[in-house]
Amino acid sequence: MNLFSFDFIKTTFSNIKSNKQLFSLSVATNFIAFTVLGIFFLLFVNLDILFSSWDKHIQLIVYLDDKISNPNKKKIELLFNSNDKIDSIFFVSRDQAWESFRGKFSSKSNFVTSLNFNPLPDSYTLRFASGPDRLKNIRDFSEKIKNENGVESVEYGEKWISRFEQFMIFLRGFILVFGVVLFSGMILIISNTIKLSIYSRKDEIDLMTLLGATHQYIKVPLLLEGILQGVSGSLLALVSVKLIHLYIVFWFQGSLESVFRGLEFQYLTKPIIFSVISTGIIVGVLGSSISANQFLHRHNSE
Amino acid sequence: MIKVFNLYKSYGGIAPVLSDISFDIQDGEFVFLTGQSGAGKTTLFKVLFGWEKFDRGQILVGGINVGKLNEKNLYQLRRKVGFVFQDYKLLMKKTVFENVAFAQQIVGANMKTVRTKTWNALKNVGLVKKKDSYPSQLSGGEQQRVSIARAIVNDPELILADEPTGNLDSEISKEIFALFEKINQQGKTIIIATHSAEILRKKERRHLLLKRGKLLQS
C-alpha cells in the first residue's frame, strides 16, 4: 500500500469521524433493508431444500390397461429399458398391489374386506437417476409414455409439484422485485448521505479542485465511504439473519423435522452470502458515485 | 506564458463582461491588472484559471489551450497556476502548516517532499514561527501570507492574485507586494488584480487596464 492510498483511507476515516451520526444512520438503514432481504433469502433457501428433498422421493408409476397385449407390454418395457435416465424398474402385479392395499386399509374400512374383486391394475414403478433435471426427465417421459397403447394412466403427483414449482417461481420473482426496490432505496440513502458529507466539507473539496486535485483524488475517499456504509450494513444484516436462523433452529428444529420429513433448517448458502456482501459494495459504489459525480459536474459547470 | 486572443465572455446579459480581449504576457513578467470594480478583472482571472468558461476566443496558459480542457483534465492547468484569493480561502480546522501542505498532498507528493516544500514556502513568506497556529489566530496580513505560501508551494509557473490586499491596510499591503516582488525575482510570472491607485502610482510595472470589459491599455 503506498502513501497515496493510505492518504485516501485516512481521508475516508476522517470524513466518517466528522459525520459519525449521518454515517451510522445510513449503515442502520442499509442494515434493516439487507436484513429484510436476508430473511426472504433464508425462507427461499429452506423451501428450495424442502423442494429438493421431495424431488428425490418422486417416482413415476405407470398403470397398465387390464387388457394390455403382450407385444404392447414388451414395447413399453423396451421403452423403459432404452431410457438411460431411469435408474430402476419395479413391476407390481395387480395381485401384489391388492395384497399391499388390503394390508394397509382392511383394518380401517369394511369396504375393502367386503369387496370380492380386485379393482387395481398392473403397474410399473420407475425411479429416475438423481440430478438437476430429474423432475424434467420424469415429466418428459410421462408425457411420452402416457399415450402408448396399453397404458391406462401415469402418476407422479404432477399437480402439487406444479403448484409448488409455481410458488417457488413466484417467490424468486418476488425476491427479485423486492430486492430491486430495496437496492434502489439503498442507493438513494447512500447517495444522500454522501451528498450531505460532501456539503459538510464543501469548502475543502472546492479548494481541492482549485488547487489541482484530480477527480480521482476527490472521488476515491467518497467511494470508500459509500462502500463502507454498504458493506457494514450488509455484514450486520448477515449477522442478524444468522441470529434469526439460530433462534429458529433452537426453538423449532424438532417441529420442522417432524412436519417436513427431517428438514434441517439451513443458513444462507455461500453464493447468497457473497451476493449480499457484493450488493453492499455495489450499492455503496453507485450511491457515492452518483453524488460525487453530480457535485464535480456541477462544480465545474459553474 | 499567457496568450489571449479575442476573448469574449458574457453571463447572458446584453453587454459582455469581457469583450475582444487580447494580450500576451511573457515568462517572468510582473503585471498589474487594473480597473474599477465590475470592470471584469476577477472574471478574466477566473477564465484564465479555468474556473469559468468563455464564449469565444483563445487562451493559452503555459502551453495549455484552456478552451480545450474538460472537467477531468482541468487539474493540469490548475497545477501550473498558483491562485491567491482575496478571501484567502484557508481551511479553519487546519494549522498554517497543514493548510500549505494540503496543496502538496492533493497532488500526491510523498511525505518527505510535503514537509520540505511546505517548510520552504513558509520560510519564503516569513511564517515559520506561526506554523502551528490556526488561521483564526492570525492577522489578515498573516492569513494572506499563508495563502501566498500555499500558492507557491507546488512551484507553479504563474501566480494569479485577485485583489490580494483588498482587505488589508496600506502598511500590510506594502509587505504583501514586497513578497510578490521577491517571488517574481525567483522567476515566477505574476499577475495581480488591484484597484489600489496608490500601489499603481508607486510601482513601475506593466498595467493591463480594463474598463467595462474592454482592454484599454496593455
Side-chain angles (χ1 to χ4, degrees):
Chain A
M1 189 182 291
N2 62 28
L3 186 79
F4 204 41
S5 48
F6 177 71
D7 203 30
F8 284 142
I9 294 167
K10 216 174 98 182
T11 313
T12 307
F13 281 99
S14 145
N15 293 350
I16 293 170
K17 206 177 151 194
S18 53
N19 293 296
K20 265 184 289 198
Q21 280 181 320
L22 212 57
F23 182 84
S24 311
L25 195 69
S26 174
V27 170
T29 323
N30 283 301
F31 157 68
I32 293 166
F34 273 120
T35 303
V36 173
L37 197 63
I39 290 169
F40 277 108
F41 274 131
L42 196 65
L43 187 69
F44 179 79
V45 164
N46 284 286
L47 284 174
D48 203 41
I49 291 168
L50 184 66
F51 187 58
S52 301
S53 73
W54 285 347
D55 179 45
K56 280 177 200 151
H57 293 99
I58 296 167
Q59 51 192 13
L60 179 65
I61 301 170
V62 180
Y63 294 106
L64 301 179
D65 209 326
D66 287 346
K67 291 170 188 167
I68 186 170
S69 64
N70 268 339
N72 280 343
K73 199 172 173 183
K74 288 244 164 66
K75 193 186 164 200
I76 289 166
E77 281 176 355
L78 195 68
L79 277 171
F80 295 162
N81 289 321
S82 62
N83 190 322
D84 58 354
K85 312 258 171 33
I86 297 173
D87 238 6
S88 61
I89 307 160
F90 297 103
F91 177 72
V92 181
S93 70
R94 55 198 306 259
D95 294 336
Q96 284 171 321
W98 183 234
E99 273 306 307
S100 166
F101 185 77
R102 276 166 52 128
K104 280 179 190 167
F105 296 103
S106 56
S107 59
K108 291 173 186 165
S109 168
N110 288 335
F111 170 75
V112 176
T113 46
S114 62
L115 207 65
N116 52 13
F117 71 98
N118 177 2
L120 301 177
D122 287 341
S123 67
Y124 286 98
T125 301
L126 310 177
R127 283 191 175 277
F128 279 70
S130 54
D133 293 334
R134 192 169 181 274
L135 188 59
K136 184 179 176 293
N137 294 335
I138 293 174
R139 191 171 278 154
D140 290 349
F141 190 70
S142 79
E143 284 300 314
K144 187 177 166 185
I145 201 94
K146 76 179 181 191
N147 295 324
E148 287 294 322
N149 283 334
V151 173
E152 193 183 82
S153 63
V154 290
E155 174 65 45
Y156 61 93
E158 189 186 4
K159 274 185 185 167
W160 69 262
I161 288 172
S162 297
R163 276 187 201 146
F164 198 79
E165 265 187 330
Q166 278 169 4
F167 175 70
M168 289 303 277
I169 291 167
F170 164 77
L171 193 62
R172 199 169 285 166
F174 178 78
I175 289 176
L176 187 74
V177 173
F178 194 64
V180 168
V181 173
L182 286 179
F183 185 75
S184 315
M186 286 187 278
I187 289 177
L188 204 69
I189 291 160
I190 291 185
S191 157
N192 281 313
T193 315
I194 298 295
K195 201 177 277 174
L196 291 171
S197 177
I198 289 172
Y199 280 98
S200 73
R201 297 171 51 234
K202 190 175 179 299
D203 290 348
E204 192 178 329
I205 297 174
D206 278 344
L207 192 62
M208 280 181 184
T209 62
L210 293 175
L211 295 178
T214 58
H215 275 201
Q216 186 205 17
Y217 185 87
I218 296 167
K219 269 166 72 174
V220 170
L222 298 170
L223 291 187
L224 289 177
E225 194 181 334
I227 290 170
L228 269 176
Q229 286 177 14
V231 170
S232 310
S234 64
L235 287 177
L236 286 173
L238 287 172
V239 171
S240 78
V241 173
K242 180 68 192 172
L243 292 175
I244 293 169
H245 166 251
L246 289 175
Y247 179 83
I248 291 173
V249 169
F250 188 78
W251 290 104
F252 303 107
Q253 183 58 50
S255 315
L256 287 170
E257 263 178 28
S258 57
V259 174
F260 297 114
R261 283 194 195 177
L263 171 79
E264 270 187 51
F265 197 73
Q266 299 288 321
Y267 184 55
L268 306 177
T269 59
K270 276 183 187 165
I272 292 179
I273 293 173
F274 180 73
S275 308
V276 170
I277 297 171
S278 310
T279 308
I281 295 172
I282 295 167
V283 158
V285 169
L286 289 179
S288 50
S289 296
I290 290 169
S291 290
N293 287 337
Q294 267 177 359
F295 176 81
L296 288 170
H297 183 67
R298 206 174 298 153
H299 188 273
N300 286 302
S301 347
E302 273 172 5
Chain B
M1 171 52 64
I2 298 178
K3 288 182 192 294
V4 177
F5 308 100
N6 310 112
L7 176 69
Y8 285 84
K9 160 84 184 167
S10 67
Y11 288 111
I14 300 164
V17 183
L18 298 173
S19 174
D20 198 19
I21 307 282
S22 297
F23 62 88
D24 276 11
I25 291 175
Q26 303 303 313
D27 283 352
E29 263 197 275
F30 192 122
V31 179
F32 284 108
L33 177 64
T34 64
Q36 290 178 333
S37 293
K41 302 188 291 296
T42 300
T43 304
L44 180 58
F45 266 15
K46 284 185 170 176
V47 167
L48 289 176
F49 194 52
W51 200 346
E52 284 192 1
K53 288 176 179 153
F54 53 92
D55 304 333
R56 270 194 286 156
Q58 284 258 334
I59 303 175
L60 293 170
V61 176
I64 292 176
N65 189 339
V66 177
K68 298 271 182 204
L69 292 175
N70 61 35
E71 56 187 58
K72 280 191 178 159
N73 55 26
L74 201 55
Y75 75 93
Q76 293 167 357
L77 170 70
R78 302 263 166 95
R79 290 183 184 190
K80 277 182 181 272
V81 182
F83 205 107
V84 179
F85 308 92
Q86 184 178 0
D87 59 355
Y88 324 130
K89 289 202 188 299
L90 300 178
L91 299 170
M92 304 313 269
K93 287 181 183 169
K94 289 186 189 283
T95 63
V96 166
F97 191 91
E98 287 166 344
N99 263 284
V100 179
F102 186 66
Q104 276 275 292
Q105 284 164 343
I106 64 164
V107 298
N110 65 47
M111 201 73 91
K112 196 180 164 197
T113 313
V114 171
R115 266 200 296 268
T116 315
K117 288 202 166 187
T118 304
W119 186 264
N120 288 339
L122 286 175
K123 211 162 104 182
N124 221 337
V125 300
L127 274 179
V128 171
K129 283 183 182 168
K130 301 267 182 176
K131 70 178 176 58
D132 295 323
S133 304
Y134 286 89
S136 57
Q137 298 169 314
L138 303 177
S139 68
E142 286 169 331
Q143 289 192 39
Q144 191 57 291
R145 281 166 186 264
V146 180
S147 171
I148 294 168
R150 188 183 58 198
I152 61 173
V153 73
N154 283 342
D155 214 17
E157 298 162 32
L158 169 69
I159 301 216
L160 300 177
D162 187 17
E163 302 278 6
T165 57
N167 299 328
L168 306 173
D169 62 41
S170 61
E171 278 307 305
I172 305 291
S173 298
K174 274 185 211 162
E175 284 178 24
I176 296 293
F177 278 112
L179 191 55
F180 279 119
E181 279 176 338
K182 184 178 153 193
I183 294 165
N184 177 239
Q185 280 157 17
Q186 291 164 359
K188 309 285 178 213
T189 309
I190 293 183
I191 310 176
I192 296 178
T194 183
H195 59 261
S196 163
E198 192 187 350
I199 294 289
L200 295 173
R201 264 198 309 277
K202 287 182 182 168
K203 306 284 177 192
E204 290 296 319
R205 298 286 189 181
R206 181 180 166 199
H207 291 183
L208 296 175
L209 177 60
L210 276 175
K211 191 172 183 186
R212 288 180 190 162
K214 292 197 173 177
L215 195 61
L216 298 184
Q217 181 187 328
S218 65

